[in-house]
Amino acid sequence: MFKFLKNNKQYIIIDAGSHKIAGISFQILEKKLFINQIEHHKSKGIKNNELIDINEFSSVIKILVRKISNKKMKQEFFCNITDPNLLVKKKRTDINSGRLGISKKEVRKIYRKSLNEAVEKNKYLIHSNPNNFILDEKTLTHNPFGKKCNKLGLISYNIFVNNFHIKKLSSSFEKNKINITKFFESGIASSISSLTKEEKIDGVVCIDIGGDTTKIVVYLENNIIFVENLSLAGNNVTTDLSHGLQISEETAELTKIMYGSVVSPFNENIEINLDSRKKKIVNKNLIYGVIKPRYDEILEIVRDKVFDNINTRIAIKSIVLTGGASKILGIKNICENIFNRKTRVIKSIAGNNSFIGRPEFSTAFGMIKLVNEFQSHNQIPKFSNNQFTKMIDKIDNWIEESYA
């Protein structure tokens, strides 16, 4: 109890999406999470994943932070970012290795070199995932410790976002005197909370269908091998319903939530409230006829992008669906038909009671897990001009857990 009282630091994550902006405050004590507060508000200032009004966005942030933060504690802030135009690059880094066998020193050295060299013009390095080591151009391994070689290589999977988006988001937080310690890519964060270790080893596609964007992350042998954001998602379904039924976007969104399905319904009429006085009778078959083609299109585009590589197509064993738009009735069956793979739809996130039945919070909870992981290993990086200007020395635990 007294250790908890001495822990005077609070972490706050902000999940900024097109439908909602969520805030969660929590503490970390002896590597255990203690969630303090969870709040969310309707999004303002964000459209098509772009920050179009800094003042409106900042006003929501101000309300959220006031509700979830404890001013008596030191605070550290983290935020997600969704860039429809991600830049993904594999990076090869080499160093000369000693003859006594590879140790933590060499792994630390090559990883730091890889990070420092990961620079792209007008881009912000948001994630760098070390995938494999190469020994003397011959041997590929996940675990290089103790092995002898003259030349040690590292292949990293680097993910960049537009630096302009980072600067705009940072400016909006600065209006509330908030500095963001680290940004996380939304799809990566969502996959962290949605997938099991076994799925990531066996080969899995995580598909997060949100409001404006469908986030795609593919794992194989516990490594990220594909990441892309598709500018086609739940809001497109809502727009289709609005046009098809000749109703407002707001009414279409409510109709989608209440009656949306990709399972062929019985011939049944429903009543839609247009306003306090007007109502409209609509057949469920019509709603199905509008919604299903769009979901088919989204999943077929994802399939074609992921399975474009023959090796990936053979290796992938399962599909996991998450995100707010994944709650549509019948999506599991059509996904299995399109991908010809076993499909799991997220119902709860990592067994956390706060998120049961709320897959739209998968990014938020994934960010919590990322913050916990980084803080446990003392390796939150500092960014400046797309480069790491400071690497924390205490990464022994990370190296041992990742590669030993």
Side-chain angles (χ1 to χ4, degrees), residues 92-290:
R92 165 78 181 262
T93 305
D94 296 296
I95 62 169
N96 294 323
S97 180
R99 298 180 179 179
L100 299 178
I102 297 168
S103 66
K104 295 177 191 175
K105 181 179 178 180
E106 281 78 28
V107 172
R108 188 185 296 112
K109 180 180 178 181
I110 196 170
Y111 186 51
R112 285 177 173 170
K113 184 181 179 185
S114 174
L115 291 170
N116 285 324
E117 291 177 352
V119 179
E120 295 289 334
K121 187 177 180 181
N122 298 323
K123 296 292 181 180
Y124 175 101
L125 177 63
I126 198 161
H127 286 281
S128 181
N129 299 278
N131 280 8
N132 291 299
F133 292 91
I134 304 172
L135 312 181
D136 287 334
E137 305 289 351
K138 298 176 183 177
T139 307
L140 198 68
T141 180
H142 297 302
N143 181 3
F145 286 114
K147 297 181 172 67
K148 295 181 181 180
C149 66
N150 294 316
K151 185 179 180 181
L152 176 64
L154 172 65
I155 299 176
S156 295
Y157 195 84
N158 295 332
I159 303 168
F160 299 86
V161 296
N162 194 316
N163 204 37
F164 175 73
H165 297 322
I166 294 288
K167 288 179 178 178
K168 285 189 75 173
L169 271 173
S170 297
S171 297
S172 67
F173 281 101
E174 287 165 5
K175 279 183 168 289
N176 291 302
K177 298 180 180 180
I178 294 171
N179 293 315
I180 299 296
T181 297
K182 177 83 171 77
F183 287 94
F184 296 113
E185 203 281 319
S186 300
I188 298 290
S190 179
S191 71
I192 292 295
S193 68
S194 301
L195 304 178
T196 66
K197 185 176 181 180
E198 290 74 20
E199 286 170 333
K200 288 189 277 189
I201 292 171
D202 291 342
V204 62
V205 183
C206 182
I207 306 172
D208 183 326
I209 310 176
D212 285 326
T213 312
T214 297
K215 280 79 72 177
I216 314 161
V217 182
V218 182
Y219 287 82
L220 181 62
E221 296 180 353
N222 210 27
N223 287 326
I224 295 173
I225 62 170
F226 182 89
V227 179
E228 189 166 332
N229 290 334
L230 177 66
S231 295
L232 194 64
N235 287 346
N236 297 92
V237 179
T238 301
T239 300
D240 291 345
L241 271 179
S242 175
H243 293 161
L245 304 182
Q246 295 184 328
I247 55 179
S248 69
E249 291 265 341
E250 187 176 347
T251 303
E253 178 68 18
L254 186 60
T255 301
K256 180 180 74 175
I257 293 169
M258 293 181 66
Y259 305 110
S261 170
V262 289
V263 178
S264 182
F266 294 107
N267 190 21
E268 179 185 352
N269 290 330
I270 60 167
E271 193 174 70
I272 298 174
N273 293 321
L274 302 180
D275 53 39
S276 58
R277 290 183 246 178
K278 294 182 181 179
K279 296 182 180 180
K280 186 171 188 174
I281 304 298
V282 177
N283 192 283
K284 275 190 175 181
N285 284 319
L286 179 57
I287 297 174
Y288 164 82
V290 172

